[in-house]
């Protein structure tokens, strides 16, 4: 390890709170009643329910989401038998991965016991604590014995990740790698370096996936595994013994289609690669130094396709691709074990995901823009947020098919939707809206949404998701040749003219109608015929607005490029304000850890007067109701119920009177400080007669500066950059203007919301 990396790693583990994990309560414990519910006497009720029916443990305790990561420290990474205590940082690291990628809680348990049978007794005794057991870093061959015995004795999933997690990821790389090189699984010669627990588990699964035993040649530290060999043999390894006089890796590598390395750095020499079959697949997975470095392999073969275990080369094979999601699916159906069918399901889910386009999150994390399935990308990246949505449902379904699910899931598609909460913080908020949008599309409702920046990468990636999830019928404004090139560049699957409609800004037969209509609207506002014709060709938002205005689209999403005000100008010219509306406003919703907050106005009105503030508050409250949120409105100011002489205080107080006159049922109060809006106890101490109850969830700011600053600070410092919006309030059609910082997920969210808006009657 480089000294700088070593120092950084030690600082990472030591500074702040030592270690990498903590235990955090999931219930409030702030008063005497909470204490009575959490512990004595209330906790007895939960205990009695579990005595009545053991399955109630999953209702009243965390057992159903708790995994034990357990080791005795006898085979830790590449460090060997370092003992239980020294293995703890690794087990904590595993716990972090479970939590980060699948929301699974972990107790890491390091056991000072090297006797396999005693280790089995200890772990088996822990069954009441956990929903599943992840065995880790136990040396071979004891690991086979320990896992087998535990599976026989325990009625929860037991999974030795070094064996099965590795096997699943390697098998996925193997299957997809063969597709890249154009070879069939039942015809290839596979040469393996390494015959430990991981390698043998890989081979077992690969055989179950169609690889013939006779095509497998294994070597280890003692040389080739051949029939009659006595040294370092065991029944599992004996299965792969060949009837051969060859004794070294160099003797069996000739004509090999696939090399699988789970051994030591440098054992595969360049001259050996040169003697492999055409288009060889090399899976050199030793860490940190692979059996051969990619540059060394490519130096002797330009047709070699490679994967390693390292993140600094393409095609990293890493167990984190599967183990969090296998446990997620297994826990959610109450699986009593992990079956071979569940493992195969995970393999095929990983394979399928790699054949899709690369996620925008992955591209940003790794800087691998424009990569698609092929020699440099045939296994998903560990940070691909879609892994949980693909693997966990596949594993859950396989568990049900195999008859090991104690709590089967009735609707696997709805379950997959629920898993979005682990992928996107907006998932839970958006789930009912996505369901509504899908129903509208399915029933033929208004769902034609035009995306004016159709050539933008984020828009194209978002539209791919929208098509896959059937959230809208997209229309892209963009040049067909550019769209086609970028779809191919980004590895997307959108079919122009089939999955999406295209409006070409260079030429569209509808444009004569568009520009003449625009001229008719604007002819008395300084726009000539020639200018109308030119503007309709070059102003993409104008094209989209005209499509909505003339009924060629049901809604519009724009704004990923350019200034907000420029987009609003064309919307105002063509679509205009809704009946009765006198002002536009922008509202954003922030999904914070402990609350959901809406803020307005965040983008439009520099210094609105009381009349405008009242209209903004009423419009924002109506939008929240359309999102099934009951608004509790706070009018914010530097003044707090008359304590200051600021101009904003007087304005907000006047706005309050106007709102109460027009919407007497709306729960609203002000003017007030931001802390009073969110802290009911503080608010009642200052003004006991306040008409606002609980925490405000809609904050109306006195001007655009305060709204925009508050929004961006909260989004970044407390919201993890998770927001929904901006919602354009006051427009006479379902159109929304995004911002240049919008993510792919935000574009998807706003598209679904636009579909729902288009089918919701306006008050």
């Amino acid at each position: 390890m480089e000294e700088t990396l070593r120092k950084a790693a030690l600082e990472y583990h030591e500074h702040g709170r030592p270690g990498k994990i903590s235990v955090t309560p999931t219930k409030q414990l702030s008063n005497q009643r909470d204490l009575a519910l959490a512990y004595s006497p209330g906790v007895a009720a939960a205990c009695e329910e579990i005595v009545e029916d053991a399955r109630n443990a999953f209702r009243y305790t965390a057992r159903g989401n708790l995994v034990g990561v357990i080791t005795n420290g006898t085979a830790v990474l590449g460090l060997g038998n370092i003992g239980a205590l020294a293995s703890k940082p690794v087990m904590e690291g595993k716990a972090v991965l479970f939590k980060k990628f699948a929301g699974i809680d972990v107790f890491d348990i390091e056991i000072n016991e090297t006797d396999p049978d005693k280790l089995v007794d200890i772990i088996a005794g822990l069954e009441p604590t956990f929903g599943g057991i992840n065995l880790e870093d136990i040396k071979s061959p004891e690991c086979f014995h320990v896992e087998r015995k535990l599976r026989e004795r325990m009625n929860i999933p037991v999974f030795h990740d070094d064996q099965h997690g590795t096997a699943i990821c390697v098998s996925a790389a193997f299957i997809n790698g063969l597709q890249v090189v154009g070879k069939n699984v039942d015809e290839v010669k596979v040469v393996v370096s390494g015959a430990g627990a991981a390698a043998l588990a890989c081979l077992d699964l690969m055989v179950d996936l169609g690889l013939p035993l006779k095509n497998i040649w294994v070597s280890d530290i003692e040389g080739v595994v051949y029939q009659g060999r006595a040294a370092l043999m065991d029944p599992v390894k004996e299965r792969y013994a060949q009837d051969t006089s060859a004794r070294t890796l160099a003797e069996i590598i000739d004509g090999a289609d696939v090399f699988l390395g789970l051994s030591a750095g440098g054992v595969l020499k360049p001259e050996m690669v040169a003697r492999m079959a055409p288009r060889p697949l090399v899976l050199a997975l030793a860490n940190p130094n692979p059996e051969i470095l990619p540059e060394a392999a490519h130096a002797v073969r330009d047709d070699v396709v490679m994967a390693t275990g390292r993140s600094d080369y393409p095609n990293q094979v890493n167990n984190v691709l599967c183990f969090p999601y296998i446990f997620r699916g297994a826990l959610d159906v109450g699986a009593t074990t992990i079956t071979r069918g569940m493992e195969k399901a995970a393999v095929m889910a990983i394979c399928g995901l790699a054949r899709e386009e690369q996620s925008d999150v992955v591209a940003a994390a790794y800087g691998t823009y424009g990569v698609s399935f092929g020699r440099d990308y045939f296994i998903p990246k560990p940070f691909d947020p879609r892994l949980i949505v693909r693997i966990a449902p596949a594993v859950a379904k396989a568990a049900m098919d195999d008859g090991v699910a104690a709590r089967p899931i009735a609707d696997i598609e709805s379950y997959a939707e629920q898993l979005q909460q682990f992928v996107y913080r907006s998932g839970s908020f958006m789930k009912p809206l996505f369901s509504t949008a899908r129903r509208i599309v399915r029933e033929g409702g208004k769902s034609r949404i035009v995306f004016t920046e159709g050539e933008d990468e984020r828009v194209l990636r978002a539209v791919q998701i929208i098509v896959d999830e059937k959230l809208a019928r997209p229309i892209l404004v963009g040049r067909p040749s550019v769209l086609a090139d970028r779809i191919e560049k980004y590895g997307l699957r959108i079919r122009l003219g089939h999955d999406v409609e295209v409006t070409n800004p260079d030429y569209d037969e509808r444009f004569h109608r568009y520009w003449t209509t625009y001229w008719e609207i604007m002819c008395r506002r300084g726009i000539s015929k020639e200018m109308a014709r030119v503007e309709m060709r070059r102003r993409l938002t104008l094209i989209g607005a005209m499509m909505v205005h003339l009924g060629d689209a049901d809604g519009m999403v724009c704004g990923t490029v350019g200034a907000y005000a420029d987009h609003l100008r064309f919307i105002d010219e063509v679509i205009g304000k809704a009946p009765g509306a006198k002002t536009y406003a922008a509202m954003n919703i922030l999904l914070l850890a402990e609350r959901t907050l809406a803020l307005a106005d965040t983008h439009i009105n520099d210094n609105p007067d009381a009349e405008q503030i009242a209209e903004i508050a009423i419009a924002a409250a109506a939008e929240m109701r359309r999102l099934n949120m009951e608004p509790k409105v706070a009018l914010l100011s530097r003044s707090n119920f008359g304590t200051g002489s600021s101009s904003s205080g007087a304005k907000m107080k006047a706005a309050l009177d106007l709102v109460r006159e027009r919407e007497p049922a709306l729960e609203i109060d002000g003017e007030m400080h931001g802390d009073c809006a969110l802290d009911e106890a503080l608010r009642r101490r200052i003004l006991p007669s306040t008409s606002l109850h609980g925490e405000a969830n809609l904050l109306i700011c006195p001007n655009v500066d305060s709204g925009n600053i508050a929004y961006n600070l909260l989004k970044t410092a407390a919201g993890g950059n998770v927001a929904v919006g901006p919602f354009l309030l006051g427009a006479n059609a379902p159109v929304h203007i995004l911002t240049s910082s919008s993510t792919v997920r935000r574009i998807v969210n706003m598209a679904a919301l636009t579909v729902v808006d288009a089918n919701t009657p306006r008050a």
Side-chain angles (χ1 to χ4, degrees), residues 191-195 217-226 229 231-233 237 240-242 244-252:
V191 172
V192 184
S193 175
W217 297 74
V218 180
S219 66
D220 62 9
I221 195 170
E222 286 289 326
V224 173
V225 175
Y226 60 90
R229 194 182 103 171
L232 291 182
M233 293 296 288
K237 192 184 298 185
Y240 298 100
Q242 288 275 11
T244 179
S245 61
R247 295 294 182 264
T248 66
L249 176 62
E251 293 177 81
I252 60 175

Side-chain angles (χ1 to χ4, degrees), residues 698-709:
L698 173 56
L699 309 181
I700 306 298
C701 300
N703 55 53
V704 76
D705 284 350
S706 59
N708 191 268
I709 291 168

Side-chain angles (χ1 to χ4, degrees), residues 359-370:
S359 160
D360 64 297
V361 176
V362 171
Y366 291 89
T368 53
Y369 294 94

Side-chain angles (χ1 to χ4, degrees), residues 622-638:
E623 186 67 35
M624 289 188 72
R625 290 193 186 102
R626 279 193 287 273
L627 298 173
N628 298 313
M629 300 172 65
E630 187 57 36
K632 293 176 178 289
V633 189
L635 301 175
L636 301 186
S637 171
R638 182 164 58 87

Side-chain angles (χ1 to χ4, degrees), residues 250-267:
E251 293 177 81
I252 60 175
I253 197 68
D254 286 1
D257 298 284
V258 180
F259 171 82
L260 171 58
L262 288 155
S263 54
V267 301

Side-chain angles (χ1 to χ4, degrees), residues 132-172:
I133 299 292
N134 183 93
L135 299 175
E136 197 78 22
D137 293 349
I138 301 171
K139 72 183 180 74
S140 176
E142 285 91 336
C143 60
F144 300 115
H145 173 82
V146 170
E147 184 190 51
R148 184 174 65 253
K149 289 296 184 182
L150 287 174
R151 286 191 171 189
E152 291 172 359
R153 292 177 58 174
M154 302 181 80
N155 203 37
I156 58 174
V158 177
F159 187 81
H160 185 208
D161 187 45
D162 297 326
Q163 290 184 64
H164 307 296
T166 303
I168 289 165
C169 296
V170 169
S171 295

Side-chain angles (χ1 to χ4, degrees), residues 202-239:
C202 290
L203 292 177
D204 286 348
L205 184 52
M206 290 159 68
V207 168
D208 284 353
L209 290 166
L211 176 64
L213 266 172
K214 63 183 177 64
N215 292 5
I216 301 171
W217 297 74
V218 180
S219 66
D220 62 9
I221 195 170
E222 286 289 326
V224 173
V225 175
Y226 60 90
Q227 291 179 9
R229 194 182 103 171
L232 291 182
M233 293 296 288
D234 58 64
V236 181
K237 192 184 298 185
E238 185 67 40
R239 182 186 189 199

